[in-house]
Amino acid sequence: MSSHFATQKTELLRLTAPDALNNISPIDVGIRKLVDEINEIETLVTTNSCAGRIVVYLEGRSSTSPRSNLEDHARISGASIAADDNNGQSLFVAHDPLPLSGKSLVAPMLGLADHTNLGVPPSIEGVRWVRCKFEPMCLRILCASLESAQKLDTAALQSGFRESGISSISTDNLRASTAMVAIRNTDLAFDSVIGYEADDGKLIPMVTEAYMRVLVELCNEKFKVNKQKTEAFREALFTSFKPH
């Protein structure tokens, strides 16, 4: 292992150490143990990860999208607009399965307060959609050598992370010094439009409460499979890197 990689690893781990005052770590709780175990391997380091999540968000506005009546009124009256036009807005994020009771409403939990007023936009041009997505576990791991990167990539592919691969290789005096491996798969991912932003800024659901409940149930099932795949990767990883 080169001294350059050792320095990189030390610095990366320092930057992502839990906050001393609040004991808050930037690593998702659901994957923190795996990340710690990876970082115990001398030739690997990672600080960039997602354990898997369900996210609901309002899309950002493209630069060519027409302004809404609400924005026109705000500019005329001198009122400020809370968010930049091009920025999206996160409505809901969860890194664990969502408990569902028989009486609890799903739509308000996902950020759509008025779940009874269904609608569709008169035109799709310039519409900001509300999307519900499931994103499976992903990791970016820096390796001290191409050999370590190849072993890591093989472990990922064997455990079902089929879109994994060596994403970049850095060289030092024409010799490979470090390599970045992306651990990912899209088998579990999905993306569904569930609403849109009306001209007055209100978020209008396009699907029923029952449909949103089904989406959450699907996400909960995907969380289970995601956990199984993550554990399979963990086992394959430590089989590949165990001392001989």
Side-chain angles (χ1 to χ4, degrees):
M1 182 179 68
S2 69
S3 59
H4 175 65
F5 175 81
T7 300
Q8 280 184 295
K9 181 169 183 173
T10 299
E11 181 64 14
L12 286 170
L13 294 180
R14 183 187 68 80
L15 291 173
T16 57
D19 184 286
L21 294 177
N22 302 312
N23 195 31
I24 297 174
S25 170
I27 307 298
D28 289 351
V29 172
I31 205 172
R32 198 174 297 165
K33 181 180 178 181
L34 173 60
V35 167
D36 288 343
E37 290 174 334
I38 290 171
N39 289 332
E40 289 175 1
I41 298 174
E42 186 179 24
T43 59
L44 304 179
V45 63
T46 181
T47 59
N48 187 320
S49 64
C50 175
R53 65 179 185 171
I54 176 175
V55 56
V56 180
Y57 67 97
L58 174 66
E59 288 181 339
R61 189 181 303 284
S62 69
S63 59
T64 58
S65 298
R67 294 199 306 266
S68 68
N69 294 337
L70 181 66
E71 292 173 55
D72 288 335
H73 173 73
R75 284 180 172 83
I76 293 170
S77 64
S80 62
I81 298 176
D84 184 86
D85 287 350
N86 293 324
N87 289 343
Q89 177 185 349
S90 176
L91 303 175
F92 178 82
V93 179
H95 295 271
D96 296 293
L98 303 178
L100 292 176
S101 66
K103 297 181 180 180
S104 62
L105 293 174
V106 173
M109 177 178 65
L110 299 183
L112 294 170
D114 186 0
H115 61 283
T116 59
N117 182 28
L118 302 185
V120 294
S123 169
I124 66 170
E125 183 179 358
V127 172
R128 298 176 73 188
W129 304 106
V130 176
R131 293 182 175 273
C132 176
K133 299 179 70 172
F134 182 83
E135 299 173 339
M137 189 276 278
C138 63
L139 286 166
R140 286 174 59 83
I141 302 176
L142 184 65
C143 306
S145 66
L146 186 57
E147 179 185 3
S148 289
Q150 289 170 333
K151 289 169 63 175
L152 179 61
D153 187 41
T154 298
L157 295 173
Q158 288 176 343
S159 53
F161 289 85
R162 303 187 187 281
E163 284 74 40
S164 299
I166 300 173
S167 58
S168 63
I169 300 173
S170 67
T171 58
D172 182 13
N173 295 327
L174 301 181
R175 294 177 299 173
S177 55
T178 60
M180 184 70 74
V181 178
I183 311 298
R184 59 197 173 199
N185 84 93
T186 59
D187 291 351
L188 296 177
F190 82 79
D191 181 354
S192 178
V193 172
I194 61 173
Y196 71 99
E197 182 188 52
D199 286 346
D200 60 2
K202 291 182 179 179
L203 302 183
I204 308 299
M206 297 174 60
V207 297
T208 64
E209 167 71 19
Y211 185 87
M212 286 188 234
R213 180 174 289 269
V214 169
L215 285 182
V216 170
E217 290 174 346
L218 285 173
C219 286
N220 286 345
E221 287 299 313
K222 288 178 180 292
F223 271 120
K224 293 178 184 178
V225 179
N226 182 67
K227 185 175 181 180
Q228 293 168 357
K229 281 180 172 284
T230 301
E231 182 57 30
F233 167 69
R234 179 182 177 276
E235 293 177 1
L237 172 70
F238 292 108
T239 297
S240 298
F241 283 88
K242 67 181 179 182
H244 296 291

